[in-house]
Amino acid sequence: MAGLHIDLLRHALIIVLCGSYLVGSTFFTLMFIPPFALFGWVFLPIVVCSIIVGAYSIAWIVYLYKGQTDRSFNLPYNPKRIFKINYATFSFLWTSIIMFVPLFAEYGYYKFFVLGKRIRRIIKEDIYYGSNSNSNRLDVYIPDTSKYPQIFDAAFHPVIVFIHGGSWGSGDKIWYSLLALRLRQMGYVVVVPNVTLYPKAKVDVMLSDIKRTLVWTKRFISKFGGDPNKIYIMGHSSGAHLASLVTVRDSIIKSQTMEGRVSSNLSDIDPELELPKIAGLILMAGIYDIGRHYLWETKRGVEEISPMGRVMGDSPESFEMNSPTLLLQSAMKDREVDINKLKKLIPQKILLIHGDMDETVPLETTLRFNLVLSELNIDDLRLRIMNGMEHSDPVVGMMYSPFRNRFTPHLISELGNFMLQDDHEIEEY
């Protein structure tokens, strides 16, 4: 269907949605107001019809905005799927309103009224890092060196490059400023880049942006007080997927001994650039098996509006080639991969965090990834399952805020312990 027709349909559905809400709420109110309450049962069918029309309108609007790119025109009709789309939509909106809106307000207050002019010394914004898209920039957050002389070298701090989530199709570095400020407060130099998102790009372009961010970090982070030999990558959700995928792919490619099945399918992205050695990974609520997660999205009824399938290539083969768990399993069985070299190239410090109440990305994907990683004899592999934690909690819990999230102390403690090299010097933050 032509773009103009889709736009017209969107606007028509928005009008229908508003009309159904107005009619439904009006007659629902009349059911409880005398003398109409005596005939309330007459209005009930109108209210029910308005709810149904509204539910279909919401689901179709979401499909028209999210489900048409790289897809033939389609709209859902099954009532069960309509319910699932509405449930997912309202869950997302509720999370955004309850968790992120207050944090945005708090960031504005902290930036303009607390930091004030000091912000120019603390945050270096909108630095071009070499992305193929000139609009992609990164921010660097610089810690107060004087606060941590007993823990870190006064000149060089460990570096955390944070890759945000957002289902590969949404998000911006500014959204995660409070998280970066928290990490800065803990004594780390923090790099937060923007990467090209869907529908402007698919997975290879995203990986290219992350690789270029890491190359930039290796070359220039010492100017900001960061240690170029202690670069960690932190990612949440789709960001955790990209962070793990860029390191797993690089390790496997460099471990190949000859042309073979793996090398014929797994090609280096930006081969002219050398991915720097990564000191460790901090992966929160990540997706590590695309095929299994696609089945989970199908169960939730969101596989058509989620960009994941399209970002990853829309085929079982491309799903496998973009799944860190499956790539490692395949590499460990491949005779043309030097397994000892692979074990040395994989980051030797990995922290996996996942909540047992996560309905967006099931805990099972992290458990399976952890199992595969354990076969590589990684020096410091940690799995932390947080009781009662939902999908967005790892990010919200790490954000700098006076409103204590119940997971904040545990997350800060786990990260602080993980980042310290000597286990005998572990302290509580």
Side-chain angles (χ1 to χ4, degrees), residues 203-204 245 249 261-262 264-266 289-292 294 309 311-324 326-327 330:
V203 63
D204 283 357
L245 184 59
R249 283 176 60 115
R261 177 177 57 81
V262 174
S264 63
N265 294 315
L266 198 61
D289 187 332
I290 298 300
R292 282 179 175 264
Y294 188 79
V311 169
M312 301 302 157
D314 251 345
S315 71
E317 294 76 19
S318 62
F319 286 178
E320 180 176 351
M321 297 309 296
N322 290 299
S323 299
L326 301 183
L327 285 176
S330 178

Side-chain angles (χ1 to χ4, degrees), residues 116-180:
K117 294 181 179 180
R118 290 189 299 141
I119 195 167
R120 294 183 179 180
R121 299 196 307 270
I122 293 172
I123 309 175
K124 304 300 180 181
E125 297 180 301
D126 295 328
I127 301 171
Y128 178 63
Y129 61 85
S131 170
N132 288 315
S133 174
N134 189 58
S135 61
N136 285 335
R137 304 299 174 103
L138 60 78
D139 296 340
V140 180
Y141 294 73
I142 304 171
D144 184 351
T145 303
S146 63
K147 288 186 178 181
Y148 305 96
Q150 76 280 12
I151 299 178
F152 305 126
D153 187 300
F156 294 109
H157 294 229
V159 180
I160 296 179
V161 178
F162 178 75
I163 311 300
H164 68 73
S167 298
W168 303 272
S170 64
D172 189 274
K173 57 186 174 65
I174 193 68
W175 297 7
Y176 300 91
S177 296
L178 290 175
L179 181 144

Side-chain angles (χ1 to χ4, degrees), residues 57-235:
S57 298
I58 290 171
W60 287 0
I61 290 169
V62 172
Y63 258 69
L64 290 172
Y65 275 101
K66 296 292 186 179
Q68 307 306 320
T69 309
D70 296 325
R71 285 276 193 273
S72 58
F73 181 81
N74 68 101
L75 291 176
Y77 298 97
N78 188 305
K80 187 175 181 180
R81 179 170 286 265
I82 296 297
F83 172 79
K84 288 180 177 180
I85 296 298
N86 276 262
Y87 178 80
T89 300
F90 283 111
S91 296
F92 171 77
L93 292 174
W94 177 255
T95 299
S96 300
I97 293 171
I98 295 300
M99 292 188 174
F100 291 106
V101 171
L103 288 170
F104 278 128
E106 184 176 338
Y107 171 70
Y109 171 78
Y110 188 77
K111 179 177 181 179
F112 295 108
F113 296 99
V114 178
L115 294 179
K117 294 181 179 180
R118 290 189 299 141
I119 195 167
R120 294 183 179 180
R121 299 196 307 270
I122 293 172
I123 309 175
K124 304 300 180 181
E125 297 180 301
D126 295 328
I127 301 171
Y128 178 63
Y129 61 85
S131 170
N132 288 315
S133 174
N134 189 58
S135 61
N136 285 335
R137 304 299 174 103
L138 60 78
D139 296 340
V140 180
Y141 294 73
I142 304 171
D144 184 351
T145 303
S146 63
K147 288 186 178 181
Y148 305 96
Q150 76 280 12
I151 299 178
F152 305 126
D153 187 300
F156 294 109
H157 294 229
V159 180
I160 296 179
V161 178
F162 178 75
I163 311 300
H164 68 73
S167 298
W168 303 272
S170 64
D172 189 274
K173 57 186 174 65
I174 193 68
W175 297 7
Y176 300 91
S177 296
L178 290 175
L179 181 144
L181 288 169
R182 168 76 74 185
L183 297 176
R184 170 199 170 272
Q185 184 194 41
M186 294 176 67
Y188 311 118
V189 174
V190 187
V191 178
V192 186
N194 271 339
V195 301
T196 312
L197 302 173
Y198 184 81
K200 293 182 178 180
K202 296 187 179 180
V203 63
D204 283 357
V205 176
M206 299 176 191
L207 293 175
S208 172
D209 284 343
I210 294 172
K211 185 174 184 179
R212 290 169 183 268
T213 298
L214 295 168
V215 169
W216 180 93
T217 302
K218 176 71 174 180
R219 290 176 181 173
F220 300 109
I221 204 62
S222 60
K223 296 181 180 180
F224 303 91
D227 189 338
N229 297 313
K230 295 179 183 177
I231 299 174
Y232 293 77
I233 312 178
M234 173 186 284

Side-chain angles (χ1 to χ4, degrees), residues 296-352:
W296 176 253
E297 287 190 341
T298 303
K299 183 178 180 181
R300 293 177 60 218
V302 300
E303 80 283 1
E304 291 293 326
I305 59 174
S306 166
M308 186 190 72
R310 290 164 280 175
V311 169
M312 301 302 157
D314 251 345
S315 71
E317 294 76 19
S318 62
F319 286 178
E320 180 176 351
M321 297 309 296
N322 290 299
S323 299
T325 298
L326 301 183
L327 285 176
L328 287 175
Q329 287 178 329
S330 178
M332 287 189 285
K333 297 176 182 176
D334 199 308
R335 296 180 180 179
E336 291 150 0
V337 172
D338 185 337
I339 189 65
N340 292 322
K341 190 174 182 181
L342 175 62
K343 291 179 178 180
K344 292 179 181 179
L345 290 171
I346 287 287
Q348 291 301 298
K349 287 172 66 68
I350 300 178
L351 172 62
L352 302 171

Side-chain angles (χ1 to χ4, degrees), residues 210-427:
I210 294 172
K211 185 174 184 179
R212 290 169 183 268
T213 298
L214 295 168
V215 169
W216 180 93
T217 302
K218 176 71 174 180
R219 290 176 181 173
F220 300 109
I221 204 62
S222 60
K223 296 181 180 180
F224 303 91
D227 189 338
N229 297 313
K230 295 179 183 177
I231 299 174
Y232 293 77
I233 312 178
M234 173 186 284
H236 172 251
S237 192
S238 58
H241 165 261
L242 294 171
S244 59
L245 184 59
V246 74
T247 51
V248 165
R249 283 176 60 115
D250 185 73
S251 299
I252 293 174
I253 290 170
K254 290 177 178 176
S255 301
Q256 293 170 171
T257 57
M258 62 181 69
E259 290 293 324
R261 177 177 57 81
V262 174
S263 61
S264 63
N265 294 315
L266 198 61
S267 58
D268 194 2
I269 297 173
D270 296 329
E272 73 279 7
L273 299 176
E274 179 72 15
L275 187 76
K277 183 162 182 67
I278 304 303
L281 298 173
I282 303 113
L283 306 175
M284 305 182 293
I287 300 102
Y288 312 109
D289 187 332
I290 298 300
R292 282 179 175 264
H293 193 67
Y294 188 79
L295 294 176
W296 176 253
E297 287 190 341
T298 303
K299 183 178 180 181
R300 293 177 60 218
V302 300
E303 80 283 1
E304 291 293 326
I305 59 174
S306 166
M308 186 190 72
R310 290 164 280 175
V311 169
M312 301 302 157
D314 251 345
S315 71
E317 294 76 19
S318 62
F319 286 178
E320 180 176 351
M321 297 309 296
N322 290 299
S323 299
T325 298
L326 301 183
L327 285 176
L328 287 175
Q329 287 178 329
S330 178
M332 287 189 285
K333 297 176 182 176
D334 199 308
R335 296 180 180 179
E336 291 150 0
V337 172
D338 185 337
I339 189 65
N340 292 322
K341 190 174 182 181
L342 175 62
K343 291 179 178 180
K344 292 179 181 179
L345 290 171
I346 287 287
Q348 291 301 298
K349 287 172 66 68
I350 300 178
L351 172 62
L352 302 171
I353 297 174
H354 213 122
D356 63 353
M357 298 297 289
D358 192 335
E359 295 183 358
T360 304
V361 180
L363 172 61
E364 181 260 351
T365 186
T366 293
L367 295 177
R368 293 185 68 248
F369 189 45
N370 177 72
L371 186 63
V372 173
L373 289 172
S374 65
E375 298 179 31
L376 295 172
N377 300 320
I378 293 170
D379 292 341
D380 188 355
L381 174 62
R382 308 186 188 192
L383 171 64
R384 298 295 183 263
I385 302 172
M386 301 284 187
N387 292 330
M389 177 178 280
E390 299 180 5
H391 187 64
S392 60
D393 284 331
V395 167
V396 176
M398 283 300 299
M399 289 186 172
Y400 188 85
S401 172
F403 303 104
R404 298 288 286 182
N405 182 289
R406 66 191 179 102
F407 298 107
T408 298
H410 303 289
L411 291 167
I412 293 176
S413 176
E414 290 293 347
L415 180 61
N417 281 300
F418 175 75
M419 293 293 287
L420 289 177
Q421 290 188 342
D422 188 349
D423 291 337
H424 298 293
E425 296 180 2
I426 290 175
E427 298 179 7

